Amino acid sequence: MGYDFKTLADLYKNALLNDVLPFWEKNSLDWQHGGYFTCLDREGQVYDTDKFIWLQNRQVWTFSMLYNQLEKRENWLKIAQNGADFLAQHGRDTQGNWYFALTGAGEPLVEPYNIFSDCFAAMSFSQYALASGQDWAKDVAMAAYNNVLRRKDNPKGKYNKTYPGTRPLKSLAVPMILANLTLEMAWLLPSEILENVLASTVQEVMTDFLHQEQGLMYENVAPNGDHIDCLEGRLINPGHGIEAMWFIMDIAQRTNDTQTINQAVDVVLNILNFAWDNEYGGLYYFMDADSHPPQQLEWDQKLWWVHLESLVALAMGYRLTGRDDCWEWYEKMHHYTWSHFPDSVYGEWFGYLNRRGEVLLNLKGGKWKGCFHVPRALYLCWQQFEALALKDVGKV
């Protein structure tokens, strides 16, 4: 590829500060009702005004995090406040559970049917409390976090569609996001809770969901960690597995746990080897562990977040281990991702490609894609390569 670490750091920095953030700053702010428009077409025009709680909270987190970590820009704090105030007023039911969707004006649309709205609320209000110094935001964050702990063993609660007792399954999504969320909230949590939750979630992810022989991260397993031979039990979500592994690396580096870091890198490389499309390039969205037909009809699409999370995991993995196999995969993933997803005409990144790598939907935001995965990955990769450049490792 011929890039040195400084060149890569500058690439990610420029994309974040001069392309992606300006797109959302210009097009997504709803100054009338509060919060953000996320349904943006290729040019940034709003095509739906509904507000999805995951994406609202994620945008509060993005601008709060950048204010805290990068530069205390007043407009970033103002943008975060616009979402935080809206969410604090409209985002929860009377029991404190976070809805899934609201109208543009803040009326409830979709019930709080799982805990992930609460997860992202805890993340966002933790960062916003740090940025704003507002004690009430700390209270919102802790209430949401306690909700997650309370509901984690039955994340859908009364909204669960499965018949109880016949085939109980638990999802990788819960412990992986709880691990990341807990690390995010380290500054707010008592040290005993912090260390206990981090240890238990890392243990659960790396024991119950990791198939020891295949080296792959399964999406659903039995409550005791057994693998179940059914569609859900064989499901591999490459992006989730890889994202989970950089969460694990992030936790393990706190104690210089090189064994866990290298194990996480091994899993990332196993998933990449399993999920890479050898004909067209890129990573499949869903796969069956035994190569049976996946039930998801969109299984062969190439999605923005899957590739961005892979870049983060590979950049972080290389910074922490210096492994050649990690760098070889980084180069391969970098070439595919940067040549397919960024929109050089209207800015930001496309989200959905077909298997051949052609743009399938030219939206820049929607029900699932907002101001989160792209800016977070750009920021994190920038930081990895800046750290590598400072180490003066030299040319790669």
Side-chain angles (χ1 to χ4, degrees), residues 3 7 10 17 31 48 55 57 64 95 127 144 162 166 192 219 232 257 262 323 327 355-356 362 374 383 395:
Y3 291 145
T7 303
D10 288 345
L17 298 180
W31 295 117
D48 195 291
L55 302 188
N57 272 307
S64 298
Q95 285 77 48
Q127 283 290 332
T162 58
T166 304
E192 184 179 354
E219 192 68 13
E232 289 84 3
D257 181 355
N262 274 289
R323 287 171 51 170
W327 184 255
R355 185 186 170 190
R356 293 183 298 276
N362 67 358
V374 180
Q383 299 306 305
K395 306 283 184 180

Coordinates of all heavy atoms in Angstrom, one line a residue, residues 3 7 10 17 31 48 55 57 64 95 127 144 162 166 192 219 232 257 262 323 327 355-356 362 374 383 395:
Y3 N 1.7 3.3 2.4 CA 1.4 4.4 3.3 C 2.3 4.2 4.6 O 2.5 3.1 5.1 CB 0.0 4.4 3.8 CG -1.0 4.8 2.7 CD1 -2.3 4.2 2.7 CD2 -0.7 5.8 1.8 CE1 -3.2 4.6 1.7 CE2 -1.7 6.1 0.8 CZ -2.9 5.5 0.8 OH -3.8 5.9 -0.1
T7 N 0.9 9.2 7.3 CA -0.1 9.3 6.2 C -1.4 8.8 6.5 O -2.5 9.4 6.2 CB 0.5 8.7 4.9 OG1 1.8 9.2 4.7 CG2 -0.4 8.9 3.7
D10 N -3.3 11.0 9.0 CA -3.8 12.2 8.4 C -5.0 11.9 7.5 O -5.9 12.7 7.4 CB -2.7 12.8 7.5 CG -1.6 13.5 8.3 OD1 -1.8 13.7 9.5 OD2 -0.5 13.8 7.8
L17 N -12.8 15.1 10.2 CA -13.0 16.6 10.5 C -13.4 17.4 9.3 O -14.1 18.4 9.5 CB -11.7 17.2 11.1 CG -11.2 16.6 12.4 CD1 -9.9 17.3 12.8 CD2 -12.2 16.7 13.5
W31 N -33.2 22.0 15.0 CA -33.2 23.0 16.0 C -34.6 23.3 16.5 O -34.8 24.0 17.5 CB -32.5 24.2 15.5 CG -31.1 24.1 15.2 CD1 -30.4 24.2 14.0 CD2 -30.0 23.7 16.1 NE1 -29.1 23.9 14.1 CE2 -28.8 23.7 15.4 CE3 -30.0 23.5 17.5 CZ2 -27.6 23.3 16.0 CZ3 -28.8 23.2 18.1 CH2 -27.6 23.1 17.4
D48 N -37.2 11.5 5.9 CA -38.2 11.0 7.0 C -37.7 11.7 8.3 O -36.5 11.8 8.5 CB -38.1 9.5 7.1 CG -39.3 9.0 7.9 OD1 -39.4 9.2 9.1 OD2 -40.2 8.3 7.3
L55 N -30.0 5.9 17.3 CA -29.2 6.9 16.6 C -29.2 8.2 17.2 O -28.2 9.0 17.1 CB -29.8 7.0 15.1 CG -29.8 5.7 14.4 CD1 -30.2 5.9 12.9 CD2 -28.5 4.9 14.4
N57 N -29.2 8.8 20.5 CA -28.2 8.7 21.6 C -26.8 8.5 21.0 O -25.8 9.1 21.6 CB -28.5 7.5 22.5 CG -29.5 7.8 23.6 OD1 -29.2 8.7 24.3 ND2 -30.6 7.1 23.7
S64 N -20.3 14.4 22.0 CA -19.7 14.6 23.4 C -18.4 14.0 23.5 O -17.4 14.6 24.1 CB -20.7 13.9 24.4 OG -22.0 14.5 24.4
Q95 N -41.8 4.2 33.3 CA -40.9 3.3 34.1 C -39.4 3.6 33.9 O -38.6 2.9 34.5 CB -41.2 1.9 33.8 CG -42.5 1.4 34.4 CD -43.8 1.8 33.6 OE1 -43.8 1.7 32.4 NE2 -44.8 2.3 34.4
Q127 N -21.1 10.3 28.5 CA -20.2 11.2 27.8 C -20.7 12.6 27.8 O -19.9 13.6 28.0 CB -20.0 10.8 26.3 CG -19.1 9.6 26.1 CD -17.6 9.9 26.4 OE1 -17.2 11.1 26.2 NE2 -16.8 8.9 26.7
A144 N -30.0 4.4 33.2 CA -30.0 3.6 32.0 C -29.1 2.4 32.2 O -29.5 1.3 31.8 CB -29.6 4.4 30.8
T162 N -40.4 -15.4 21.4 CA -40.1 -16.8 21.4 C -40.9 -17.5 22.5 O -41.1 -16.9 23.6 CB -38.6 -17.1 21.6 OG1 -38.2 -16.5 22.8 CG2 -37.8 -16.6 20.4
T166 N -38.5 -23.8 25.3 CA -38.2 -24.8 24.3 C -36.8 -24.8 23.8 O -36.1 -25.8 23.8 CB -39.2 -24.6 23.1 OG1 -40.5 -24.7 23.6 CG2 -39.0 -25.8 22.1
E192 N -15.5 -1.6 42.1 CA -15.9 -3.0 42.2 C -16.9 -3.5 41.1 O -16.7 -4.5 40.5 CB -16.6 -3.3 43.6 CG -16.9 -4.8 43.8 CD -17.5 -5.0 45.2 OE1 -17.6 -4.0 46.0 OE2 -17.9 -6.1 45.5
E219 N -23.2 -16.0 17.1 CA -24.1 -14.9 17.5 C -25.1 -15.3 18.6 O -25.5 -14.5 19.5 CB -24.9 -14.5 16.3 CG -25.7 -13.2 16.5 CD -24.8 -11.9 16.6 OE1 -23.6 -12.0 16.3 OE2 -25.3 -10.9 17.0
E232 N -30.6 -20.1 14.0 CA -30.1 -19.0 14.9 C -28.8 -19.5 15.6 O -27.9 -18.7 15.8 CB -31.1 -18.7 16.0 CG -32.3 -17.9 15.5 CD -33.4 -18.8 14.8 OE1 -33.2 -20.0 14.9 OE2 -34.4 -18.3 14.3
D257 N -2.8 -7.4 29.2 CA -3.1 -8.8 29.1 C -2.8 -9.3 27.7 O -3.7 -9.3 26.9 CB -4.5 -9.1 29.5 CG -4.9 -10.5 29.5 OD1 -4.1 -11.4 29.0 OD2 -6.1 -10.9 29.8
N262 N -3.9 -11.2 22.0 CA -3.5 -12.0 20.9 C -4.6 -13.0 20.6 O -4.8 -13.3 19.4 CB -2.2 -12.8 21.2 CG -1.0 -12.0 20.8 OD1 -0.7 -11.8 19.6 ND2 -0.3 -11.5 21.8
R323 N 1.8 -7.8 14.8 CA 1.8 -9.0 14.0 C 1.7 -8.7 12.5 O 0.8 -8.0 12.1 CB 0.6 -9.9 14.5 CG 0.9 -10.5 15.9 CD -0.3 -11.2 16.5 NE -0.9 -12.2 15.6 CZ -1.9 -13.0 15.9 NH1 -2.3 -13.0 17.2 NH2 -2.4 -13.8 15.1
W327 N -1.3 -7.0 10.0 CA -1.1 -5.9 9.0 C -1.5 -6.2 7.6 O -2.0 -5.4 6.9 CB 0.4 -5.4 9.1 CG 0.6 -4.2 8.2 CD1 1.2 -4.2 7.0 CD2 0.1 -2.9 8.4 NE1 1.1 -2.9 6.4 CE2 0.4 -2.1 7.3 CE3 -0.6 -2.3 9.5 CZ2 0.1 -0.8 7.2 CZ3 -0.9 -1.0 9.4 CH2 -0.6 -0.2 8.3
R355 N -23.5 -7.5 -3.3 CA -22.3 -8.4 -3.2 C -21.2 -7.9 -4.1 O -20.0 -8.0 -3.7 CB -22.7 -9.8 -3.5 CG -21.6 -10.8 -3.3 CD -21.9 -12.2 -3.7 NE -20.6 -12.9 -3.7 CZ -20.5 -14.1 -4.2 NH1 -21.5 -14.8 -4.8 NH2 -19.3 -14.8 -4.1
R356 N -21.5 -7.4 -5.2 CA -20.4 -7.0 -6.2 C -19.7 -5.7 -5.8 O -18.8 -5.2 -6.4 CB -21.0 -6.8 -7.6 CG -21.5 -8.1 -8.2 CD -22.0 -7.9 -9.6 NE -23.2 -7.0 -9.7 CZ -24.4 -7.4 -9.4 NH1 -24.7 -8.7 -9.1 NH2 -25.4 -6.6 -9.5
N362 N -28.4 4.5 -1.8 CA -27.5 5.7 -1.8 C -27.8 6.6 -0.6 O -27.3 7.8 -0.6 CB -27.5 6.4 -3.1 CG -28.8 7.1 -3.4 OD1 -29.7 7.0 -2.6 ND2 -28.8 7.8 -4.6
V374 N -19.2 5.5 11.4 CA -18.2 6.2 10.5 C -17.3 7.1 11.4 O -16.1 6.9 11.4 CB -18.8 6.9 9.3 CG1 -17.7 7.5 8.5 CG2 -19.6 5.9 8.5
Q383 N -6.3 7.6 15.9 CA -5.6 7.5 17.1 C -4.6 6.3 17.1 O -3.5 6.5 17.6 CB -6.6 7.4 18.3 CG -7.5 8.5 18.5 CD -6.8 9.9 18.6 OE1 -5.9 10.1 19.4 NE2 -7.2 10.8 17.7
K395 N 8.6 3.0 8.2 CA 7.7 2.6 7.1 C 7.2 1.2 7.2 O 7.9 0.3 7.7 CB 8.5 2.8 5.8 CG 9.1 4.2 5.6 CD 8.1 5.2 5.2 CE 8.7 6.6 4.9 NZ 7.8 7.6 4.6

